[in-house]
Amino acid sequence: MGKPAQISAETNWDAGTAVRDTALSRLVGYNLKRSFNNIYVDLAEALRPFGLRMITFTILTMLRENPGIRLSNLAAAIDMEKPNMVSVIDELSARGLVTRSADPLDKRARQLHLTADGLKLQHQAYAAACVHEEGCLQHLDEAERAQLIALLSKIRHGADKDSR
Amino acid sequence: MGKPAQISAETNWDAGTAVRDTALSRLVGYNLKRSFNNIYVDLAEALRPFGLRMITFTILTMLRENPGIRLSNLAAAIDMEKPNMVSVIDELSARGLVTRSADPLDKRARQLHLTADGLKLQHQAYAAACVHEEGCLQHLDEAERAQLIALLSKIRHGADKDSR
DNA sequence: TATTGTTATACTCTATAACTATA
DNA sequence: TATAGTTATAGAGTATAACAATA
């Protein structure tokens, strides 16, 4: 396709002229960014009543399933840099949702745990997140949702494998 | 040991203990964020040799298909705030990749165009982006990629409809 | 020497308010 | 009055270097 001197004829952009994005639409990366942003903004709104952001919600949920995990292990598990994790844990700790306790096996390490309040908030927020997902994905049926998650995690774990 | 096992038994987190994320894995939002980040970091690396980031690459590609488009229309098309668009156009303009010219129909507006250099760079960068996608998606066959894009744009356009 | 948690720092991305010149 | 482009600014999110205590 080396010929067409001009991609398209000159257009009047005065009114609501339709904008083309066929080239970008072919790229999975572009579609991922756009649809992620749509869901992300919406999820942030769903979590705001609980005083949570996506990252704090993620951490509370991870702590529920992995009580006592070390900060560095948790950071690695969700692809976050340790220094950034520290400040978020500071925030959750100051709110009384998470505790840092001594690790008997390694004096350098700290065990992270949910408090009773943290567990309660995680329950509520997770329920809200599920309701939110329902709203975002109402145009997808059960099979499509499962397919989407399967394809996305295939990308994730494929990339994991490659980097090692 | 010998304690009322809460969510899960107490674990020793000293070594490379496996971390669980079954609750988060069920959420499309979480999977989207993780897989987007994987692709994004990698794509950024593929574009770096051209001096481009994802946003500048996106704009060059949009200008190729929509020559003469106004700044605000372009910003709306890719869900970007106008003030942020201004500084990126400044950057591309300073590098001689994009021009701002007067719009004969509206003295407030500026028409955005690729320069010859901009068009050339877009070509090269788009080819690199396609090669990069090939690397990221090598674990997905043609049908799965098409399916993924279809599902993602279903989320995008479903959300568009809902917000109006 | 390597690793855990930490501090400090910087850069990108994103979001909002307000100004100007036109419409 | 509303809109296009712009300026200034602030907040998330992310990334790196370096340090003290411990392994």
Side-chain angles (χ1 to χ4, degrees):
Chain A
M1 50 183 96
K3 221 32 184 303
Q6 296 298 343
I7 305 307
S8 75
E10 204 61 17
T11 317
N12 283 341
W13 289 101
D14 52 333
T17 315
V19 182
R20 301 173 193 179
D21 69 336
T22 56
L24 287 170
S25 292
R26 289 199 193 96
L27 298 177
V28 171
Y30 177 72
N31 283 280
L32 262 180
K33 179 175 172 54
R34 295 293 305 272
S35 47
F36 163 65
N37 210 262
N38 267 337
I39 288 207
Y40 187 78
V41 169
D42 219 54
L43 180 58
E45 198 175 324
L47 293 175
R48 192 167 304 130
F50 305 98
L52 294 176
R53 294 167 289 152
M54 184 157 180
I55 186 59
T56 46
F57 166 70
T58 297
I59 290 173
L60 291 188
T61 302
M62 289 298 282
L63 287 184
R64 187 166 138 77
E65 283 189 310
N66 302 276
I69 191 173
R70 290 182 188 173
L71 186 144
S72 53
N73 289 350
L74 178 55
I78 63 178
D79 268 337
M80 193 183 183
E81 298 302 319
K82 281 192 296 176
N84 301 325
M85 178 64 79
V86 169
S87 61
V88 180
I89 297 294
D90 282 345
E91 175 190 336
L92 292 172
S93 171
R95 289 179 59 190
L97 302 173
V98 164
T99 58
R100 279 184 254 229
S101 51
D103 185 326
L105 294 172
D106 188 333
K107 286 184 181 174
R108 295 171 302 179
R110 301 295 184 102
Q111 295 183 333
L112 300 179
H113 284 276
L114 285 183
T115 64
D117 281 355
L119 181 60
K120 193 171 142 195
L121 191 63
Q122 192 278 336
H123 259 108
Q124 298 172 336
Y126 191 81
C130 290
V131 170
H132 157 264
E133 288 248 324
E134 184 53 42
C136 275
L137 304 178
Q138 56 187 322
H139 304 289
L140 303 188
D141 60 37
E142 244 352 283
E144 288 174 320
R145 292 179 203 192
Q147 223 162 32
L148 179 57
I149 288 183
L151 290 170
L152 290 176
S153 61
K154 218 165 176 181
I155 291 180
R156 279 219 279 142
H157 297 109
D160 282 354
K161 228 189 298 175
D162 296 342
S163 66
R164 281 171 195 167
Chain B
M1 325 178 356
K3 272 294 183 147
Q6 300 277 23
I7 306 306
S8 74
E10 204 63 18
T11 316
N12 284 342
W13 289 101
D14 52 335
T17 314
V19 182
R20 300 175 194 176
D21 69 336
T22 57
L24 288 169
S25 291
R26 289 200 194 96
L27 299 177
V28 171
Y30 177 72
N31 284 279
L32 263 181
K33 179 174 173 57
R34 295 294 304 272
S35 47
F36 164 66
N37 210 265
N38 267 337
I39 287 207
Y40 187 78
V41 168
D42 218 54
L43 180 57
E45 199 175 325
L47 293 175
R48 194 167 302 128
F50 305 98
L52 294 176
R53 293 167 290 153
M54 185 157 179
I55 186 60
T56 47
F57 167 69
T58 297
I59 290 173
L60 291 187
T61 302
M62 288 298 281
L63 289 184
R64 188 166 136 77
E65 284 188 311
N66 303 275
I69 192 175
R70 290 180 188 174
L71 187 144
S72 52
N73 288 351
L74 179 56
I78 63 177
D79 268 335
M80 192 181 183
E81 297 302 320
K82 281 192 296 177
N84 300 325
M85 178 65 77
V86 170
S87 61
V88 180
I89 298 294
D90 281 347
E91 175 189 338
L92 292 173
S93 171
R95 288 179 60 190
L97 301 173
V98 163
T99 60
R100 280 185 253 230
S101 51
D103 185 326
L105 295 172
D106 188 332
K107 286 184 180 173
R108 294 171 302 180
R110 300 295 185 103
Q111 295 183 332
L112 300 179
H113 285 276
L114 285 184
T115 64
D117 280 357
L119 181 59
K120 194 171 143 196
L121 191 64
Q122 192 278 336
H123 259 108
Q124 298 171 337
Y126 192 81
C130 290
V131 170
H132 157 264
E133 289 248 324
E134 184 53 42
C136 275
L137 305 178
Q138 55 188 321
H139 304 290
L140 304 189
D141 61 37
E142 248 347 286
E144 288 175 320
R145 292 178 203 193
Q147 224 164 31
L148 178 57
I149 288 184
L151 290 172
L152 289 176
S153 61
K154 216 164 177 181
I155 291 180
R156 279 218 279 143
H157 297 109
D160 284 354
K161 228 189 299 177
D162 295 341
S163 65
R164 284 169 196 165

